[in-house]
Every structure is written in C-alpha cells, then in structure tokens.
Amino acid sequence: MLAQRPPMGWNSWNTFGGAINEQVVRDTADAIVEKGLKDAGYEYVVIDDCWSLRERNEEGRIVPNPEKFPSGMKALADYVHSKGLKFGMYSCAGTRTCAGFPGSFDYEFIDAKTFAEWGVDFLKYDFCFKPRLANGPILYNRMSMALKASGREILFSACNWGSDEVEKWIRSTGAHMYRSTGDINDSFQSFKNIAMSQVDKIAYSGPGCYNDIDMLICGMHGSGNVANGGCTDIEYRTHFALWCLFQSPLMIGGDLSKMDDFNLDLLKNKELISINQDPEARPPMMVNGGDRPVFFKHLANNEYVVAFFNFTDRSDTWGGDTVEFYDLGLTVASGYGFRFRDIFTGEDTGVLTGRLSTKVDAHDCKIFRGTLVEK
Ligand code: GAL
C-alpha cells in the first residue's frame, strides 16, 4: 500500500521550472544520497512540467524532449533506481499541461502504460486546460484506474489546487496525495497563507491520501522559478515546521547543489520529520488563532506536541506566549502534568502543572514534544 506516511522527495518545479533536464535529475539523485537526505527519508525524484515535446508522435505517445533528455526516460529512471530512489513524472488532466505541453485528457490509458514502461513510480497530475464540463472526480478517477491497470505500482499525486472542495472527494478516486492550494512562492507571506488556509481541512488528510500544501522552498533564498524575495533561515524553519505539523508530503523544491548547511540540516531534522511521519496522522487542534497561532497535536505512543508560531513582526510580546493546560482539557484535579522538550534546543521543561510559557520571536516558532506524567 502506498502513502501510508506522507511521501517525501524532491520536485523540479520550484527551482528549475522549464529548465529541467536529465543532468539536473541525475545530479539531484546523487545529492539526495550523498547529502544524507535519502537516509532522512526522501525517496521520490520528480520531474515536473516541461519535459516533453510540444506534440505527441504518430502513435499518440508523449515524447520526451531529446535536447533535455537525450538518454530517454527509461535510462533516467534506471539511474534513479540504481541510487535506491524512486522516479516521478508529471502530466495533466486537461488537453495541455499548465505550460502548454501535451496533457493526458483522453490519452490516460496510453500515457499510464508509457509511464509504466519507463519505470515511473510517481505521477503528479495537474488540472490546466481541462474541458469545462469534465469534472475533477471523473478525471482523477480515470487516471487513477489507468495507473492501476498499467502493471506498475505508481503513486498518484493529484494537483487541482484545492478547487471543487477536493478534500471531500479525492480520496475516493484512489489518489495518494492532493494539492490543496495555489502555488507557493519563496516568501514568508506565501507559506504562512498556504498553511493557515488548510487548518480546517487537515482532518481529511491521513494514511493513503495526504493533503499536499505544495513543494518546500527551504534554502531557496530568492532564487529559482518561484522567487519572490526569499526568506530568512528562521522563516524557512517556521515553514518546514508547519509542513511537518500538518503532515504534508515533504517535496524539496530547492537546488540541492546550492543548499546551505542550515537548510540541509533543517530538511533532515529528525524531530520534525518524525512528527511529519507520525503513523496516527491526527490533525492538530488550534488552541489559539490569529497571527500567534498555537497548535496541540496527539502523536502515536502517547506523545504530544505543542507548537507556537509568531506570524507578527514583533518579538516583544507582553507576557510571552502561553498555553493553559485547561485549554487542552487537562485540569489541576487530574493529578497529571506535562513534561516537554523544546525540539530545537533539547531543553527539558520539567513537569509543568498549569501552563507552558515561552517566548517566540517574530516569524519564528517553538515546538515542544512531551508526555503526560503523574505529579
Ligand atoms: C501548476 C502547479 C505547479 C506546477 C506547474 C507546472 O499548476 O500547481 O506545482 O506543476 O503547474 O506548470
């Protein structure tokens, strides 16, 4: 069974856009292994839009652009597999992809067979240029069945940007993850708005079909295809923490040949990844809203997370940031308190009975993980 945990990997779009080619894919596969990302759990190497010629061949097959992919897709898939990784590609439910290359509408079964022959393990499936009267459930269901009929196990990654209340029907189509928002860009505003738009919808996400809040921008620093000023390292950490807390698929979008040490370490942060991969996949409860949100999340094995975010531009909050345990349902009479650990500093809070207080700087976050203990 696929996607029993949020899928992890790399996708070409955020950095390379139309400038994708086989060398980039090979170098990225090498880097995923050499830089320890494979050991951290990253598995899928995905080519997004712009990999094919503008028209199908006489047999109706999509043809990889020979200038970008001179060795062909089969050889590239073999290379990625030789690294112990999985190979992903992209198509679209409409007649054209978003960048105007051939889409799979009406060619679903032919394309699924082609992908399977090449050794594809993952298909991202977009929603541009679809006939107005053809609806998402039909189109995603059709490609999902085509992939299942292809003879190869292929993870199906839907991308309709959250339209038509996708969270309510996408699991029924057999998809394993689904984009729920418009495209991210490399800015604090972008990732903050994307994450907060999904707070009420994470409850639909879980094993077998995860809400995908888009590819990561960690370490892009204002370069690449979705550039918009870039973020500070602290902001990239807040971004990654939100994606982990919401258990989104983790698809790295940065250029691994240029990834700085801070962001490489962040992408490999064991504590955050283990929250992201938690098998129970329970949505976080929002204990406090607004621009200083606080979340409480149950993990497997009786562990809990309290996550504080400061989306304001101010670091100097009067009184600090506090979560009262009665707001989580824990009363003084229970005889229990929480013992937490700050996952970034390792600091132990000791047993706390009434509340957890901290101080979160502007655009930063604090993530605590712990258990209930008898007082
Ligand atoms: C968008 C999609 C992006 C990227 C792009 C390619 O619709 O949301 O993630 O795939 O198309 O053209």
Side-chain angles (χ1 to χ4, degrees):
M1 280 198 296
L2 292 169
Q4 292 306 296
R5 305 275 192 278
M8 296 171 68
W10 177 90
N11 173 297
S12 61
W13 185 253
N14 281 0
T15 293
F16 296 96
I20 185 62
N21 61 55
E22 69 179 38
Q23 198 54 49
V24 166
V25 176
R26 282 168 185 258
D27 292 348
T28 300
D30 292 348
I32 289 174
V33 175
E34 281 159 21
K35 294 180 191 271
L37 290 160
K38 176 172 182 263
D39 288 341
Y42 296 90
E43 183 177 26
Y44 292 97
V45 183
V46 181
I47 300 173
D48 208 283
D49 205 349
C50 307
W51 56 267
S52 77
L53 289 178
R54 289 270 169 195
E55 301 305 331
R56 289 172 182 272
N57 68 15
E58 283 166 5
E59 293 163 5
R61 300 242 185 180
I62 311 190
V63 185
N65 181 329
E67 280 170 22
K68 294 175 174 174
F69 298 94
S71 317
M73 289 302 176
K74 176 82 177 68
L76 192 52
D78 288 347
Y79 185 80
V80 170
H81 291 150
S82 77
K83 295 271 155 178
L85 300 170
K86 294 192 168 144
F87 182 58
M89 290 192 69
Y90 163 101
S91 188
C92 183
T95 57
R96 296 256 154 207
T97 71
C98 300
F101 294 89
S104 294
F105 181 81
D106 217 17
Y107 290 89
E108 290 87 350
F109 283 77
I110 297 176
D111 290 351
K113 259 249 143 8
T114 306
F115 293 137
E117 282 165 18
W118 288 341
V120 169
D121 308 294
F122 176 115
L123 182 70
K124 175 174 171 182
Y125 205 51
D126 222 327
F127 210 49
C128 286
F129 298 103
K130 78 166 184 69
R132 230 167 260 229
L133 297 179
N135 73 14
I138 287 284
L139 295 180
Y140 282 99
N141 202 41
R142 193 191 291 168
M143 184 48 113
S144 175
M145 292 191 291
L147 293 174
K148 287 184 177 175
S150 74
R152 194 174 167 88
E153 188 170 66
I154 299 178
L155 190 151
F156 190 31
S157 164
C159 177
N160 87 337
W161 325 293
S163 58
D164 307 330
E165 299 186 295
V166 65
E167 67 279 359
K168 296 193 177 154
W169 50 265
I170 193 69
R171 181 179 286 269
S172 307
T173 69
H176 300 102
M177 55 192 260
Y178 59 101
R179 275 278 302 283
S180 51
T181 73
D183 290 10
I184 198 167
N185 62 57
D186 187 8
S187 70
F188 173 73
Q189 287 299 332
S190 173
F191 77 68
K192 179 196 83 171
N193 291 343
I194 282 180
M196 294 313 282
S197 77
Q198 293 306 300
V199 171
D200 293 340
K201 297 179 178 162
I202 298 295
Y204 291 96
S205 183
C209 189
Y210 283 94
N211 184 332
D212 169 14
I213 56 178
D214 209 355
M215 286 90 71
L216 297 162
I217 51 167
C218 298
M220 293 188 67
H221 296 298
S223 64
N225 186 43
V226 296
N228 189 16
C231 298
T232 64
D233 284 340
I234 287 303
E235 289 168 346
Y236 286 133
R237 187 171 76 171
T238 297
H239 162 49
F240 193 64
L242 283 165
W243 264 235
C244 289
L245 187 70
F246 288 12
Q247 297 199 252
S248 172
L250 297 177
M251 304 301 289
I252 299 169
D255 181 346
L256 293 182
S257 70
K258 300 197 180 117
M259 192 62 69
D260 59 83
D261 288 346
F262 177 91
N263 281 282
L264 195 56
D265 286 347
L266 174 64
L267 291 166
K268 294 192 286 190
N269 184 299
K270 284 198 169 68
E271 293 273 10
L272 287 174
I273 290 176
S274 83
I275 294 170
N276 176 266
Q277 298 286 300
D278 188 74
E280 290 196 7
R282 297 191 186 276
M285 278 181 199
M286 192 154 74
V287 185
N288 189 41
D291 53 12
R292 304 186 76 102
V294 181
F295 295 95
F296 179 65
K297 180 176 169 69
H298 287 236
L299 299 178
N301 302 321
N302 300 337
E303 287 191 279
Y304 302 92
V305 170
V306 175
F308 295 85
F309 294 88
N310 181 353
F311 293 148
T312 76
D313 297 331
R314 299 180 313 277
S315 295
D316 54 341
T317 337
W318 180 81
D321 297 85
T322 296
V323 63
E324 299 286 349
F325 294 162
Y326 61 73
D327 279 336
L328 309 178
L330 190 72
T331 57
V332 175
S334 67
Y336 285 81
F338 277 112
R339 180 172 195 169
F340 286 114
R341 185 166 37 84
D342 176 328
I343 68 159
F344 296 132
T345 64
E347 203 180 319
D348 184 340
T349 62
V351 181
L352 303 172
T353 50
R355 64 192 55 80
L356 169 61
S357 290
T358 186
K359 182 177 173 302
V360 191
D361 289 339
H363 296 197
D364 202 354
C365 64
K366 287 268 175 90
I367 315 287
F368 295 89
R369 178 175 185 152
T371 53
L372 275 177
V373 288
E374 268 182 283
K375 282 192 279 205

